[in-house]
Amino acid sequence: MSTSANSPSILEIPQEIKKSCGDKQVETTVDRIKIAKSIKEKQSNDLEKLAFKRKAEGEEKPAGRKEAKIMELDSPLITLPLPHIPLKSIMDVEVKLVYVDEEDVSYEFVESFTSTGIQPTCQEAEIVDPLHGPNFNFLPQIDKWLQVALKDASLCYRQKKYAVAAGQFRTALELCSKGAVLGKPFEASAEDIASVASFIETKLVICYLRMRKPDLALNHAHRSIVLNPAYFRNHLRQATVFRCLERYSEAARSAMIADYMFWLFGGSEQCISKLIKLYWQAMIEEAITRAESFSVMYTPFATKIRADKVEKVKEVFTKTHPAYVEYIYTDQGSFPACSGVMEKLQYASLLSRLQRVKEQSQVINQAMAELATIPYLRDISPQEAELLQSLMADAMDTLEGRRNDKERVWNAIQKVGRVEDFLYQLEDNFLKTKKLRNARRQKTKMKRLQTVQQS
């Protein structure tokens, strides 16, 4: 437990990184919303073209075969036991996708621009898988001392000296906090600095996972997503941490987002997507069989889908995965952009009052990771974007110990909710009183009529 002695460096983001990245968090969030919107629009157009092509091909097929398929779908289904995915398959996915020893930093926004044919600048840098992505000469150069520290840490990791490697990566994080991030620090953008910091955070995640200390890996997993939410491996590593902590529904959600991010940013290798989906399915299976209840997860759609199409998708899914029939829930209604995150932040305020600092830090970091991911998962209105920025800024301030906890956005919203509840209660009481008053009047009137009739 020697690593727990370094708890300040583990639980806290270095102050200078906060200053360089945190102060520009609102602007970065706005940029991410714009980039995510443009990418989703492109993917939507591609999907429409693909759907038209499939429709044209479908019309050429014999009608008899099509009718036979419909008959099959209408036939009653037998509820089957959940398919058991062996632990070895889960571990294989983690070896291939989670514990990859990446050597190059994955800069933000690169792939999204290259896929659309736009030449990006260093300030507009997203994920590039170092194993498959092209080598861009325009990417910023890492500071030479930081590069040495990362090289030493990676060498220790390959030699399976994970505790030493974790210490070296923490040293690298400290160098970042002192401004030693890029070769030209005064020309570096917040996005580039965040990308380097995210790279180091994710290295710490796999070190602590190798050391079988997922509790120490958890905050680093959350922060890697806050700093670079569009890189699919960050979400998959978070899923692995949740799995090790037996938080299976959260692991399933992280795996789902990992697959969506892989697709959204032009991932083309089907084998990688299949591995992520297998992991996702395994985590859902664990959540269903082990947890008493778990939160609803949704699959984002790039285009609006009609009710009849929803039913058709549901029928196809039912035929393909009959064991999951009773767990399917489809709803076209939209959830608020920050739904679920607000409750986490309010819970963090409660933990603060109880002086449970470590738990509060984990909850806030997780909430910030979810806030950073929201613009990629769904379209958000200007009002929702403003709320998202306010929540992110207040969450950063809370981690840094700035301002009173009572001034937070989520506490203000909670107060508004309490006022609304109070008003509803007053209204209910008024209606009940009015009903009772009318009943008494009616009763008095009846008595008077009876008295008149008797006299």
Side-chain angles (χ1 to χ4, degrees):
M1 294 292 176
S2 60
T3 50
S4 60
N6 298 318
S7 57
S9 61
I10 294 170
L11 296 177
E12 303 273 339
I13 300 176
Q15 292 297 325
E16 282 74 7
I17 291 181
K18 287 177 181 177
K19 287 174 184 175
S20 58
C21 299
D23 293 344
K24 297 185 180 180
Q25 191 66 50
V26 174
E27 289 84 351
T28 305
T29 304
V30 174
D31 292 339
R32 283 172 176 166
I33 291 169
K34 290 176 182 176
I35 295 295
K37 189 175 180 181
S38 65
I39 293 167
K40 282 189 280 188
E41 284 175 358
K42 182 182 179 299
Q43 292 287 358
S44 174
N45 294 333
D46 293 342
L47 276 177
E48 286 175 3
K49 289 176 185 176
L50 184 62
F52 181 78
K53 184 181 176 183
R54 284 177 178 172
K55 187 178 179 182
E57 290 173 355
E59 288 172 354
E60 293 173 4
K61 292 181 181 178
R65 234 175 123 186
K66 198 171 184 181
E67 287 172 12
K69 279 190 176 180
I70 293 168
M71 289 285 288
E72 286 175 14
L73 288 172
D74 290 337
S75 62
L77 290 164
I78 301 167
T79 304
L80 302 174
L82 292 174
H84 177 68
I85 298 171
L87 182 62
K88 186 181 181 302
S89 299
I90 298 172
M91 299 303 289
D92 286 344
V93 174
E94 291 179 357
V95 168
K96 291 174 182 175
L97 298 181
V98 173
Y99 295 108
V100 176
D101 186 23
E102 296 160 307
E103 295 183 5
D104 299 327
V105 177
S106 301
Y107 287 96
E108 286 194 287
F109 306 145
V110 169
E111 192 165 314
S112 60
F113 279 86
T114 53
S115 61
T116 54
I118 302 171
Q119 185 71 11
T121 63
C122 295
Q123 286 74 19
E124 295 167 331
E126 227 270 270
I127 63 154
V128 173
D129 189 338
L131 297 177
H132 306 286
N135 182 22
F136 296 107
N137 294 323
F138 55 78
L139 292 178
Q141 294 296 314
I142 295 177
D143 178 83
K144 62 178 181 178
W145 295 112
L146 179 60
Q147 208 162 25
V148 169
L150 290 174
K151 189 177 179 181
D152 291 343
S154 295
L155 181 62
C156 292
Y157 178 83
R158 292 191 198 99
Q159 293 173 345
K160 299 185 179 180
K161 299 176 182 177
Y162 302 122
V164 179
Q168 294 278 8
F169 283 122
R170 286 198 301 272
T171 301
L173 211 54
E174 286 172 12
L175 284 172
C176 284
S177 72
K178 293 173 182 176
V181 182
L182 301 175
K184 296 179 179 180
F186 297 107
E187 296 178 14
S189 68
E191 291 84 1
D192 294 339
I193 295 169
S195 297
V196 176
S198 175
F199 174 79
I200 300 170
E201 294 282 8
T202 199
K203 288 286 191 179
L204 281 164
V205 172
I206 59 176
C207 281
Y208 287 125
L209 285 173
R210 288 292 195 187
M211 293 160 66
R212 297 184 181 179
K213 294 181 178 179
D215 54 322
L216 296 181
L218 187 59
N219 268 336
H220 295 292
H222 296 328
R223 288 202 290 265
S224 69
I225 293 171
V226 173
L227 294 163
N228 192 353
Y231 190 35
F232 79 96
R233 289 190 200 273
N234 288 349
H235 296 279
L236 199 58
R237 284 169 180 142
Q238 185 190 53
T240 302
V241 175
F242 281 138
R243 182 191 72 79
C244 294
L245 293 170
E246 298 186 356
R247 293 164 61 172
Y248 297 109
S249 63
E250 291 166 292
R253 184 180 184 277
S254 296
M256 175 201 76
I257 294 172
D259 187 55
Y260 182 71
M261 291 298 185
F262 179 74
W263 165 82
L264 187 64
F265 288 93
S268 56
E269 292 95 338
Q270 287 292 326
C271 58
I272 292 179
S273 184
K274 284 180 180 177
L275 287 173
I276 300 172
K277 285 183 173 70
L278 178 68
Y279 200 84
W280 176 10
Q281 186 180 351
M283 294 303 102
I284 289 176
E285 179 189 313
E286 293 292 342
I288 290 170
T289 54
R290 295 198 189 197
E292 292 181 8
S293 62
F294 63 93
S295 59
V296 173
M297 291 170 288
Y298 68 96
T299 303
F301 276 89
T303 55
K304 289 185 179 179
I305 186 166
R306 300 197 310 269
D308 59 327
K309 292 290 183 183
V310 170
E311 288 303 314
K312 192 170 181 180
V313 170
K314 188 175 177 180
E315 284 177 358
V316 173
F317 182 87
T318 301
K319 172 122 177 78
T320 312
H321 305 285
Y324 293 92
V325 173
E326 58 182 308
Y327 305 107
I328 300 172
Y329 174 74
T330 54
D331 183 16
Q332 287 184 281
S334 60
F335 297 96
C338 301
S339 178
V341 181
M342 201 78 70
E343 288 77 4
K344 283 187 177 69
L345 292 168
Q346 289 167 354
Y347 178 55
S349 294
L350 175 62
L351 291 171
S352 174
R353 288 195 289 273
L354 296 172
Q355 296 183 347
R356 290 158 64 176
V357 180
K358 184 178 178 181
E359 290 177 73
Q360 182 202 16
S361 171
Q362 288 180 345
V363 171
I364 291 176
N365 277 307
Q366 184 179 358
M368 288 177 65
E370 291 182 20
L371 286 171
T373 309
I374 285 170
Y376 299 96
L377 298 182
R378 52 163 292 171
D379 295 328
I380 57 177
S381 66
Q383 292 81 7
E384 289 173 331
E386 187 178 347
L387 174 61
L388 192 150
Q389 293 163 32
S390 299
L391 288 170
M392 183 67 82
D394 274 8
M396 286 290 293
D397 285 349
T398 301
L399 281 177
E400 294 174 9
R402 296 180 190 170
R403 291 195 296 152
N404 193 301
D405 194 55
K406 294 179 182 178
E407 299 174 25
R408 304 298 175 213
V409 174
W410 52 86
N411 289 329
I413 290 172
Q414 191 175 35
K415 286 177 184 176
V416 170
R418 286 174 182 169
V419 170
E420 286 178 349
D421 290 342
F422 179 68
L423 290 173
Y424 285 132
Q425 190 177 358
L426 285 176
E427 185 181 12
D428 288 341
N429 291 337
F430 172 76
L431 292 172
K432 285 177 184 176
T433 305
K434 186 179 179 181
K435 189 177 179 181
L436 288 170
R437 194 184 296 118
N438 289 337
R440 280 198 297 268
R441 284 175 181 173
Q442 192 70 20
K443 194 174 180 181
T444 305
K445 190 176 179 181
M446 291 295 293
K447 282 183 179 179
R448 285 174 181 172
L449 283 171
Q450 288 174 1
T451 304
V452 170
Q453 287 173 357
Q454 287 174 0
S455 61

